[in-house]
C-alpha cells in the first residue's frame, strides 16, 4: 500500500507502505516489494528515519526498520 503524507515524496510513501508496526524488516525483506535498488531503498529509509516516520533497529547486517 502507498501511504500519502504531505511531507513524504511518492518514493518515500512506497517504502513506508512496505513496513510494519510490529515486525521489523531488513532491506532484503523490503526490496522485493519496491522498484528500487538497495542503495536508493537505504537512502529513503534513512530519510524517513530523519523525519521520524521510521525507527532503525541494530547496525550493519542486522539492521531492521519498522514504523
Amino acid at each position: 500500500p502507498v501511504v500519502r503524507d504531505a511531507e513524504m515524496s511518492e518514493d518515500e510513501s512506497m517504502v513506508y507502505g512496505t513496513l510494519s508496526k510490529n515486525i521489523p524488516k531488513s532491506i532484503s525483506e523490503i526490496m522485493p516489494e519496491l522498484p528500487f535498488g538497495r542503495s536508493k531503498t537505504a537512502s529513503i529509509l534513512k530519510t524517513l528515519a530523519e523525519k521520524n516516520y521510521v525507527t532503525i533497529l541494530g547496525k550493519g547486517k542486522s539492521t531492521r526498520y519498522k514504523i
Side-chain angles (χ1 to χ4, degrees):
V2 176
V3 178
R4 288 305 299 156
D5 184 296
E7 296 185 18
M8 277 191 211
S9 70
E10 186 175 340
D11 290 348
E12 289 171 347
S13 295
M14 289 175 66
V15 172
Y16 186 83
T18 66
L19 298 172
S20 167
K21 291 180 181 177
N22 303 319
I23 304 168
K25 292 184 175 183
S26 67
I27 287 183
S28 297
E29 293 170 314
I30 297 167
M31 282 180 41
E33 301 177 46
L34 300 168
F36 321 124
R38 178 179 287 275
S39 62
K40 182 169 183 176
T41 301
S43 176
I44 292 170
L45 285 164
K46 181 178 177 185
T47 301
L48 288 171
E50 290 169 357
K51 292 180 178 181
N52 295 315
Y53 286 108
V54 172
T55 302
I56 300 174
L57 307 168
K59 292 190 182 243
K61 289 188 175 192
S62 65
T63 303
R64 301 284 184 268
Y65 303 87
K66 73 174 192 167
I67 297 172

